Every structure is written in structure tokens, then in C-alpha cells.
Amino acid sequence: MLPMRVALSVLLLASALSACTPAPVSTAKSAEAPAPAPAIAWRQGDVDDAFAEAADSGKPVLLYWGAVWCPPCNQLKAGLFKDPAFIALTSKFVPVYLDGDEEGAQAWGERFGVRGYPTLIVLDPQRNEITRVAGGNDAAELTRALTVAAGRRSAVAATLATALETPDRLAAEDWQVLGDYGWEVDANRLAGERRSQDVLRQLSKAAPDAALQRRFALLALATADKPDASPTEVRELLQAVLAQPAEVRRNRELLGYAGVQLVKQASAGPATSNTLGQQLLVALERVDAERGDRADDALSRALTEVSLARQQQPKGALPAALVERVKQRVAAADAAAIEAHARQATISSAVYALREVGDDAGAEALLLAELKRSEQPYYYMPELAELAEQRGDSAGALEWLKRAYDGAQGPATRVQWGVLYVEGLLKLAPDDAPRIEQATASLIAELEAQPSGYHQRTRQRFERLAGQLKTWSGKHQGAETLARLQQRMQRACGDQVDGACKDWLS
């Protein structure tokens, strides 16, 4: 990630001076250097400074939370962040890029309640949230949503409260903001104590137009722990959405990851399931054609087709034609992803697709080739470890996990990959207590070097690891090991600003 500032005023001034000054007479053609491409003027991690500038300018802050290795983050960098219309739109904000490995980034992530990479949040100068959107959504939809947010100063929580209590008081734009909100990734942040599916169901009944009603209803089903709608209700909802290309585009990502499950909820039998599945695929293909018929969209549709086929015949072999189609689309996506960000956004999906159709050898070959090309090769090594484990090579799996941890860059990233390594040891070498203790102590040392590091994703991973260490200890007489690790963590917590890690393993 190399965000840049571009001094447009200087370039414009230079152009004006050039236009006013007679050019020297020359018989030779002068080679002009190409003008640098426009770019977003991100503030790199300067969150406090960004809010200070927002207070002075009156502009809202656009906070982008991401990571260099994250595939959907790289999709944004390869597409949306290079789009001239979006770059121009960011001039209406104070844009700040908060990489998850920046000093203090995890504390900021916890403060703003950010769960996943990437997320885009709009905040007013007083740090009230105007809206947030999921970074994996359609670029045109993101631009439209943020265009609306640029002119607002109302906190989204207040807008939601009005929608739930006195919905008739909301304007059309207020409803649009609620519809654009990133419910897919951060529903609980806005819903608070209430169940998000209940909030979304209430919004679906109160929304002023049918498209919004259906969007909220879809979101309620997609985020529900246990959906309670009848198959007929789900079927009628899904068919109504699929019949409207504009609604399919607005809900493209939601239909991509939840469409197959919705088809299952809506089905009264194999025939209904097959019909709905075909309607879903046709609708996705149509909207993807409108988006430019990209190779990664075609691959996504192939994965949806695989999931539908497995739903129809859970134990049956996939049709040979479908397997071949997946492989062809993997090859096309691989060939189309030339630039580094595009490859980081594509290769994981391509590997997943190959594994879904049983081509583990092809997946491994693609991963090994990518290690030589990628700027973050450690990202792919846990997948290689999983492939090694699957064929019974525990030593090879652990070697890949260790290589991934050793190569990981950035404090939060190193903790994330380090936890994967320790978890691998607990699973594949549970009797090697010294190795487990050494690897975990190394992780604690990583934390010790971060005075405010025990937050958000880092804290979540340490807490997950604590549960697994306790389970391991009960089965492998590891009480003394855990006691030493807890003492080691207590010493490390002395350097933590808030001492939040002091209870780890207790």
C-alpha cells in the first residue's frame, strides 16, 4: 500500500504557465513526461490530525480500514481507488487510511467498532458516525452511497432511531443511507442490544419503497442466526429481487455469498431449488455483464453454480462440464489479474474454486507459483499448510505455518499468523510441549513490543488461542506450561497502556 498525495494545484499552475509562455523554437520533437495519475490524498494513519482538519474545514472524515494482504482491500485498490470519479469524490472528505498494522490501529479499530477488512466509515468532525459501508461491494454502489454521505451531518444511529420510532419523519435520503449501510459486516454495531435481524425486519416493513423493503428483508435473512420466514415468503422475496436488475446490482455481493442459502430456504423440493438456482445464476450473469463481464465476476458465478450443484446432490460428483468450466474461469481470472493488487484480490478465490471442484494439485501449483510473484507470500502459506495436512504431511504443514509466521510483516499481522502457527502445533504436534511453549512465548514477545497492541483483532486472536491452549492443557498435562505462559503474559502486560491482557489464560 503506497497511498500518495498529488498536488493538483501545482500541476494546474504549471500547465497555466506553460500555456502563457512561448515555447522555444525547435526542429526536434520534445518528449513530454506523462502527467502522474491522479490519486487519493490519503492521510496515512493520522487519525487525530484528520479530525483536526475536519474540524477546521467542516468536511467529514472518510476512514478506510484495511490491510496490505487482504484480498477485498486489494480489489478496492485495483478498481475503486483508481476510478477518477471516486478520486474526485474524496476531495469532499478528509480521507485517512488506517492500515491494521499501523501503530495504534487496532485500538482505533476497537474504538470505531470495525470488525473486518476492508471497511469505509464516514464520521463528522466530532467523531459521530454518519455511515459505514462494506468495502467488498460494487464500486458504482459504493460511490453512490458515499456521494450521499458526503453531504450529511446526521449520525446514522439517530437516523435509525427515528426509522424505528417515527419512520414517517424520515426523508428519502435518510432511508437511502440506512439501505446503503454495511449491515453485511457490522450489523450488530448499529443494532446495539437488539437482534439485527429484528431491526432489519422492522425496517423492511417501514421503508417507503418496495426495493428498499426487499433489501432490508434480504439482509434480515442473510444476517439471521435462525431465519423464521416460510419457504413461500423467501421464494417470493428472492424472485421479486431477481426480476429487477437494479436490485440485483445493489445486492450483488449479498446474493453472491448468501444467494445459495436463500435458495435453500426458499425451496419446497428439488424442482423448486433447481428453478430458483437457475434464476439466480441468470440474474447474476446479467448484472455482471453490465459491470463489464470481469473475469473475477465470472469465477464468482462459477462458485455459486458449484454450491447450487452440491445443494442438489450433496454426495454426488459434480458434472464434468461444470468442473471444466470452473477450471477455465480460474485460468481466465489468473490471466486477467496482471497488476499486483488485482492478483492479491483474485488468487485466493481461484485457489478456493479449484479446491471446491477437487483439483488440489492445481490449487497447490497456483499457490506455489504465486509465492514467487506476490509481495505478501506469507498470505498463501497457511493454505499450502492445509493442503499438506490433508495429504497426511504434518511436518510439511507445520513448516508452511512457521514460514508464514516468520515472513509475516506488521505487528497485528504477525500475531494473526503466529496464532495460526501455534494452533497448528496444538493440532498436529500436541505432545511437543516445548515447541508449543516457545512459539506462544514468541507471540507474547510480539505483543510486548506494542504498547497499545492488545485490541480488536489482536485481542480476539489471543483470546481464541487461550481457549485452545486450555483445551490442550486438559488433554496433555500442560498446566505447568500454561502457568509459565501466563506469567510471561503478565510481564508483557506491564507495558500495555490499559493492561487489558492481564487476565489472559486466567
Side-chain angles (χ1 to χ4, degrees):
M1 167 73 66
L2 293 172
M4 300 180 294
R5 289 185 180 273
V6 176
L8 292 175
S9 59
V10 174
L11 292 174
L12 291 171
L13 177 60
S15 298
L17 289 174
S18 174
C20 296
T21 305
V25 178
S26 174
T27 57
K29 289 185 178 180
S30 59
E32 294 183 3
I40 301 170
W42 294 113
R43 284 180 170 273
Q44 185 78 29
D46 297 331
V47 180
D48 285 320
D49 287 350
F51 280 108
E53 182 180 330
D56 291 339
S57 66
K59 295 179 180 181
V61 168
L62 173 62
L63 187 146
Y64 163 57
W65 165 264
V68 295
W69 47 263
C70 148
C73 302
N74 280 277
Q75 184 66 58
L76 286 177
K77 297 171 198 172
L80 182 68
F81 290 174
K82 292 182 178 180
D83 178 37
F86 183 77
I87 294 170
L89 173 62
T90 61
S91 67
K92 298 181 179 181
F93 299 92
V94 180
V96 57
Y97 168 42
L98 188 60
D99 187 282
D101 284 306
E102 294 274 354
E103 184 177 350
Q106 294 300 318
W108 281 114
E110 196 163 89
R111 178 170 181 172
F112 293 125
V114 185
R115 290 178 57 196
Y117 305 133
T119 300
L120 292 155
I121 310 176
V122 179
L123 304 112
D124 70 14
Q126 291 72 46
R127 309 188 183 201
N128 299 308
E129 184 174 316
I130 295 172
T131 194
R132 70 175 59 198
V133 291
N137 286 338
D138 179 85
E141 291 296 319
L142 282 172
T143 301
R144 180 189 56 74
L146 291 172
T147 299
V148 173
R152 291 179 63 85
R153 296 298 179 269
S154 302
V156 67
T159 303
L160 175 63
T162 302
L164 297 176
E165 295 166 11
T166 52
D168 292 341
R169 292 178 54 193
L170 288 189
E173 184 183 274
D174 297 319
W175 281 107
Q176 186 174 342
V177 169
L178 291 173
D180 290 335
Y181 186 83
W183 298 97
E184 301 97 319
V185 291
D186 287 317
N188 293 331
R189 171 74 173 178
L190 191 55
E193 298 291 325
R194 299 156 295 197
R195 292 198 314 166
S196 60
Q197 64 216 65
D198 294 338
V199 170
L200 288 162
R201 199 174 290 117
Q202 188 173 342
L203 291 175
S204 75
K205 294 176 181 178
D209 66 78
L212 262 178
Q213 291 169 7
R214 288 191 285 264
R215 172 160 173 78
F216 287 128
L218 278 179
L219 286 164
L221 289 170
T223 59
D225 296 328
K226 187 181 280 189
D228 54 10
S230 71
T232 300
E233 290 174 314
V234 180
R235 182 166 62 254
E236 290 176 352
L237 170 65
L238 188 56
Q239 288 178 324
V241 171
L242 295 179
Q244 301 294 327
E247 291 185 47
V248 176
R249 180 156 190 167
R250 185 172 192 183
N251 296 286
R252 173 64 178 87
E253 303 309 315
L254 189 157
L255 291 169
Y257 74 79
V260 175
Q261 185 60 34
L262 291 171
V263 167
K264 183 177 182 180
Q265 293 174 27
S267 299
T272 308
S273 176
N274 184 59
T275 299
L276 274 176
Q278 288 305 309
Q279 290 174 351
L280 173 63
L281 290 170
V282 169
L284 293 178
E285 185 172 8
R286 181 175 55 208
V287 78
D288 288 349
E290 294 174 2
R291 301 205 305 183
D293 201 20
R294 302 184 320 224
D296 57 339
D297 281 340
L299 178 57
S300 171
R301 290 197 310 276
L303 283 168
T304 298
E305 194 173 355
V306 168
S307 297
L308 287 168
R310 292 202 185 284
Q311 187 171 280
Q312 288 285 321
Q313 293 184 315
K315 297 182 180 180
L318 292 171
L322 175 55
V323 173
E324 183 58 28
R325 185 156 56 250
V326 168
K327 291 181 180 180
Q328 290 174 355
R329 292 189 182 179
V330 165
D334 183 18
I338 298 172
E339 188 259 347
H341 294 319
R343 293 198 66 76
Q344 192 72 15
T346 299
I347 294 302
S348 291
S349 296
V351 168
Y352 175 74
L354 290 173
R355 296 193 66 185
E356 280 294 287
V357 298
D359 188 6
D360 284 357
E364 187 167 32
L366 186 58
L367 286 166
L368 291 172
E370 198 61 23
L371 294 185
K372 302 172 185 177
R373 299 181 61 167
S374 175
E375 295 177 7
Q376 293 86 34
Y378 57 85
Y379 178 78
Y380 301 105
M381 292 177 185
E383 188 93 31
L384 286 164
E386 188 174 313
L387 286 164
E389 179 188 348
Q390 189 169 293
R391 61 174 176 264
D393 182 7
S394 296
L398 289 174
E399 180 59 28
W400 277 121
L401 290 173
K402 185 176 187 304
R403 282 184 61 183
Y405 175 35
D406 290 344
Q409 299 171 359
T413 294
R414 286 189 59 75
V415 167
Q416 184 169 338
W417 266 253
V419 166
L420 289 176
Y421 175 45
V422 178
E423 288 175 340
L425 288 170
L426 293 172
K427 181 180 181 182
L428 301 176
D431 295 323
D432 195 345
R435 195 175 175 189
I436 291 169
E437 182 173 356
Q438 181 183 23
T440 308
S442 175
L443 262 182
I444 296 171
E446 300 275 359
L447 180 64
E448 194 169 14
Q450 308 172 49
S452 59
Y454 198 73
H455 291 280
Q456 196 60 343
R457 295 169 69 91
T458 295
R459 175 179 53 79
Q460 292 164 6
R461 278 156 180 77
F462 265 102
E463 289 175 351
R464 185 179 79 187
L465 181 59
Q468 296 186 21
L469 283 167
K470 290 175 184 177
T471 299
W472 167 80
S473 175
K475 296 178 179 179
H476 296 274
Q477 294 77 49
E480 292 183 3
T481 298
L482 262 58
R484 288 191 295 271
L485 288 172
Q486 187 177 29
Q487 291 174 0
R488 179 72 182 86
M489 181 64 104
Q490 291 285 348
R491 293 196 299 273
C493 277
D495 295 327
Q496 296 293 308
V497 171
D498 55 9
C501 57
K502 67 183 186 310
D503 295 328
W504 189 71
L505 278 180
S506 62

